[in-house]
Amino acid sequence: MGNKRIFANQKMYMTKKEVDEFIKILGSIHSEQLVICPTAIYVEKFSQSKLILGMQNIFYEDSGAYTGEISPLQAKDYHIQYAIVGHSERRNILNESNDMLKKKIQACIAHNITPIFCIGETKEQYEMHKTNEILKRQIIDVFQGLKIHDISKIMIAYEPIWAIGTGFIPTEKEIKDTTQYIKNIVWQLFDVSISVLYGGSVNEKNVQSLNQIDVVDGFLVGGASTKPKELLKMYEVVVS
Ligand code: 13P
């Protein structure tokens, strides 16, 4: 039986009707190998299903005058177990800083929520063979200053920015080597053995072969995770 996991980052996709349909098809699955991160407004709906849930984003204070934000304390009311931290869309569109990401990671851990910390290089950096250097920088910028205990609770999602929503993905060898590199770096610098997911254009067609890459611990799936039948097929691949 496979032990990789699928994390569905549903981003700002889906209407209420589509969410109902999604829950009808997948809502009875309760498995550590399938985690749904819905648009926040649908978390309550999903919390009535059996599915394990994550947030797409989380704030770093428990409560207060922070318009539009959702705290880890509030998320815990809905049995949230994971939170995506530092997705490239939030770093680039919403200008999330390394300092914010550090605080978000600490807040998650204080509430027993596993942070899924995202890193990834741009197309230009990839073409200039700077991927490893960039990923190392992104890791150090946020992990430095965190307690080793906290780092040991983090999962990393490696998402090349140029692979997100484009249909282009690195070769399997590149994914394998980069994932191994990330694990080695975290081990060397912080003495922690960390889980690493791959994200970027994972779908029903390529999941079978990506699933063969042993060092990869799972997948962070965007667009394809909003189609329940496609997601079900992908889930069947990783558990088989
Ligand atoms: P896509 O699967 O749509 O490429 O998105 C990947 C992603 O950003 C998951 O966080």
Side-chain angles (χ1 to χ4, degrees):
M1 183 173 159
N3 56 6
K4 293 198 202 315
R5 311 203 249 166
I6 292 186
F7 291 80
N9 175 10
Q10 298 188 325
K11 307 195 181 186
M12 201 180 69
Y13 294 120
M14 302 176 84
T15 59
K16 183 162 164 275
K17 197 162 161 245
E18 287 165 333
V19 168
D20 285 336
E21 186 61 24
F22 185 100
I23 293 175
K24 236 188 254 170
I25 297 173
L26 291 169
S28 61
I29 300 179
H30 181 79
S31 161
E32 286 294 338
Q33 287 173 269
L34 183 65
V35 177
I36 309 297
C37 306
T39 312
I41 201 166
Y42 301 128
V43 162
E44 176 159 25
K45 233 176 198 315
F46 272 96
S47 74
Q48 290 156 21
S49 77
K50 296 246 185 328
L51 289 157
I52 294 182
L53 300 181
M55 299 294 291
Q56 296 177 15
N57 174 44
I58 198 108
F59 198 60
Y60 48 79
E61 297 287 353
D62 280 355
S63 167
Y66 303 104
T67 302
E69 296 298 326
I70 295 172
S71 81
L73 188 68
Q74 293 169 325
K76 278 314 257 188
D77 278 342
Y78 293 92
H79 312 292
I80 294 289
Q81 295 187 26
Y82 297 88
I84 300 171
V85 173
H87 192 282
S88 59
E89 286 150 16
R90 295 199 61 87
R91 290 184 194 241
N92 297 335
I93 305 169
L94 295 150
N95 290 324
E96 290 201 348
S97 66
N98 289 325
D99 187 46
M100 264 187 200
L101 304 185
K102 206 181 280 236
K103 288 197 221 161
K104 288 181 178 201
I105 286 175
Q106 288 168 321
C108 281
I109 291 158
H111 289 279
N112 214 13
I113 291 171
T114 301
I116 301 170
F117 173 62
C118 301
I119 56 175
E121 81 285 0
T122 62
K123 178 95 181 145
E124 197 186 4
Q125 291 161 342
Y126 169 76
E127 283 169 352
M128 289 168 72
H129 303 287
K130 290 199 163 154
T131 300
N132 287 359
E133 185 188 324
I134 295 297
L135 300 180
K136 183 176 176 183
R137 189 74 261 150
Q138 290 174 340
I139 291 168
I140 292 174
D141 282 347
V142 172
F143 284 18
Q144 206 148 52
L146 292 179
K147 293 194 200 104
I148 298 294
H149 166 268
D150 287 359
I151 296 173
S152 74
K153 305 279 178 192
I154 300 171
M155 291 177 84
I156 288 183
Y158 167 52
E159 300 206 300
I161 294 171
W162 54 274
I164 297 177
T166 59
F168 296 110
I169 60 171
T171 64
E172 279 163 34
K173 178 162 174 11
E174 284 171 325
I175 294 175
K176 184 183 169 110
D177 291 349
T178 306
T179 304
Q180 191 59 62
Y181 173 78
I182 295 166
K183 291 188 173 188
N184 291 348
I185 280 293
V186 175
W187 176 256
Q188 281 165 22
L189 296 175
F190 305 102
D191 243 356
V192 166
S193 120
I194 206 156
S195 295
V196 179
L197 311 172
Y198 168 77
S201 294
V202 180
N203 59 37
E204 184 191 349
K205 293 193 183 79
N206 58 27
V207 72
Q208 194 98 37
S209 53
L210 293 173
N211 194 44
Q212 305 298 320
I213 310 174
D214 51 0
V215 288
V216 171
D217 297 294
F219 307 104
L220 184 54
V221 186
S225 78
T226 64
K227 301 180 190 111
K229 288 184 185 142
E230 179 160 356
L231 185 61
L232 180 57
K233 283 191 190 142
M234 295 168 76
Y235 169 68
E236 283 166 355
V237 169
V238 298
V239 295
S240 67

